[in-house]
Amino acid sequence: MRVMCCYAPKQDLLLEKWPDPTPQRGQLLIQVHACGVCRTDLHVIDGELTGALSPVIPGHEIVGHIVALGDDVTGFRLGERVGVPWLGHTCGTCRFCETKQENLCENARFHGFTLQGGYADYVVAEARYCFHLPDRYIDVEAAPLLCAGLIGYRALRFAQEANCLGIYGFGTAAHLVAQIACHQGREVYAFTRPGDRAAQRFALSIGARWAGDSDTAPPKLLDAALLFAPVGSLVPTALSHLVAGGVVVCAGIHMTDIPAFPYRLLWGERQIRSVANLTRDDGLDFLRLAEQVPLQVHVTPYPLEHANHALFDLRCGRVQGAAVLTTF
């Protein structure tokens, strides 16, 4: 099979031929149709997340069909379309797994990081971490749902009943969660890189009430802010625009250091919290919602062998919506 693999941090991925994998007990062998290109992939490739396989095949927004079943697989059939997310294994026995917090499992493994991912023609995955996908989305549209959609949904849950919602970093996750928030009747205020008028127009086109630069104040105070941009300095900025009792939700797996800020920004029972990974229940809940709410998933497709081009465009902020690799 063809793979795009990473041998060292900050190096281009290499196109290679690897043996096709074989599913073990409880696993599916999936022929990949599409794999989303996520900012987490950049963090892995840049070495900002330590502990990755070497070499590692990135990719954790994987859509394909099942071509082989390992022993003891239930709930899936040959030929079915499935989705494979970031979370690929948990131990089931640690204190977090036993308290329904498997996203914090001490022995978790993740596709495209500590398990091989979907920048390839085939991938193996544990069946119990795979999802059936809503039929309304074609493969390239379904792929971003598996991380950008899931993490955005979990972040939105932590915003609770916030009506006035700020979203910092208007990329893949933001453009999906903004549509859900608007569907729920919330007001969305979008913050982009300073001067990125194209991203601001994009945010307005999918329902944002206001869009502006991340270093400017919104027209009203926010009940909650979701941060998808991995920029630590945005935390005190967002805090400064919150009502008392509001929350800043940091939704990325990696962020630059948060600078010191005066206590008055936090006072008034404001909160800062992070989102770590996802649970399988998150996935089931979100995909049911995505079946009901017709999300407009904006994608830019790239052939698998152009993965470096897709990553470069993502890094430079050239992608509106989601970049997705295709294998056909």
Side-chain angles (χ1 to χ4, degrees), residues 26-77:
Q27 291 184 330
L28 308 175
L29 175 61
I30 299 162
Q31 184 173 13
V32 178
H33 297 172
C35 184
V37 179
C38 180
R39 185 160 293 277
T40 299
D41 299 337
L42 285 177
H43 296 317
V44 172
I45 292 164
D46 289 347
E48 294 168 332
L49 299 180
T50 59
L53 295 174
S54 182
V56 63
I57 303 169
H60 55 273
E61 297 178 323
I62 307 166
V63 176
H65 73 271
I66 301 169
V67 294
L69 304 170
D71 293 338
D72 300 329
V73 168
T74 59
F76 292 94
R77 304 187 312 273

Side-chain angles (χ1 to χ4, degrees), residues 171-239:
T172 311
H175 99 281
L176 296 173
V177 75
Q179 293 179 64
I180 293 172
C182 291
H183 177 80
Q184 294 172 339
R186 306 178 194 241
E187 299 176 6
V188 172
Y189 296 80
F191 298 83
T192 72
R193 297 183 189 192
D196 193 344
R197 303 294 176 249
Q200 291 165 19
R201 289 191 296 270
F202 178 51
L204 293 171
S205 74
I206 59 173
R209 181 162 296 198
W210 173 91
D213 295 350
S214 60
D215 55 2
T216 60
K220 62 190 292 188
L221 291 177
L222 307 171
D223 298 317
L226 310 183
L227 269 60
F228 296 106
V231 182
S233 61
L234 289 176
V235 172
T237 298
L239 278 173

Side-chain angles (χ1 to χ4, degrees), residues 65-300:
H65 73 271
I66 301 169
V67 294
L69 304 170
D71 293 338
D72 300 329
V73 168
T74 59
F76 292 94
R77 304 187 312 273
L78 287 175
E80 278 190 304
R81 188 176 75 148
V82 293
V84 182
W86 170 248
L87 182 67
H89 172 82
T90 57
C91 68
T93 58
C94 71
R95 57 179 176 166
F96 297 110
C97 287
E98 290 181 342
T99 56
K100 298 184 178 180
Q101 296 176 286
E102 67 179 7
N103 58 306
L104 304 178
C105 174
E106 296 168 336
N107 302 292
R109 299 176 72 189
F110 307 99
H111 284 284
F113 181 42
T114 50
L115 296 168
Q116 299 297 6
Y119 288 19
D121 287 321
Y122 294 91
V123 67
V124 290
E126 288 190 37
R128 62 195 185 119
Y129 296 91
C130 296
F131 296 114
H132 294 101
L133 299 170
D135 291 336
R136 71 164 61 243
Y137 303 100
I138 63 173
D139 295 339
V140 292
E141 295 171 338
L145 303 181
L146 291 159
C147 182
L150 289 174
I151 291 299
Y153 174 72
R154 188 171 177 86
L156 184 61
R157 284 179 50 206
F158 290 141
Q160 298 182 340
E161 301 303 316
N163 179 63
C164 188
L165 185 71
I167 300 179
Y168 286 79
F170 214 82
T172 311
H175 99 281
L176 296 173
V177 75
Q179 293 179 64
I180 293 172
C182 291
H183 177 80
Q184 294 172 339
R186 306 178 194 241
E187 299 176 6
V188 172
Y189 296 80
F191 298 83
T192 72
R193 297 183 189 192
D196 193 344
R197 303 294 176 249
Q200 291 165 19
R201 289 191 296 270
F202 178 51
L204 293 171
S205 74
I206 59 173
R209 181 162 296 198
W210 173 91
D213 295 350
S214 60
D215 55 2
T216 60
K220 62 190 292 188
L221 291 177
L222 307 171
D223 298 317
L226 310 183
L227 269 60
F228 296 106
V231 182
S233 61
L234 289 176
V235 172
T237 298
L239 278 173
S240 71
H241 301 318
L242 283 188
V243 299
V247 59
V248 173
V249 183
C250 302
I253 195 170
H254 173 81
M255 179 178 278
T256 58
D257 290 346
I258 300 171
F261 57 87
Y263 176 66
R264 62 177 172 77
L265 295 182
L266 188 61
W267 191 80
E269 300 191 351
R270 295 175 180 85
Q271 302 175 63
I272 306 170
R273 70 167 304 154
S274 66
V275 171
N277 311 315
L278 62 128
T279 68
R280 283 170 284 179
D281 284 345
D282 289 329
L284 294 172
D285 290 346
F286 171 70
L287 291 171
R288 278 192 290 266
L289 180 61
E291 180 68 75
Q292 299 163 10
V293 180
L295 299 173
Q296 299 301 310
V297 187
H298 296 258
V299 299
T300 302

Side-chain angles (χ1 to χ4, degrees), residues 37-42 172 193 302 309-319 321 323:
V37 179
C38 180
R39 185 160 293 277
T40 299
D41 299 337
L42 285 177
T172 311
R193 297 183 189 192
Y302 299 78
H309 185 186
L311 289 161
F312 179 80
D313 286 349
L314 178 64
R315 190 189 303 278
C316 296
R318 294 178 179 175
V319 179

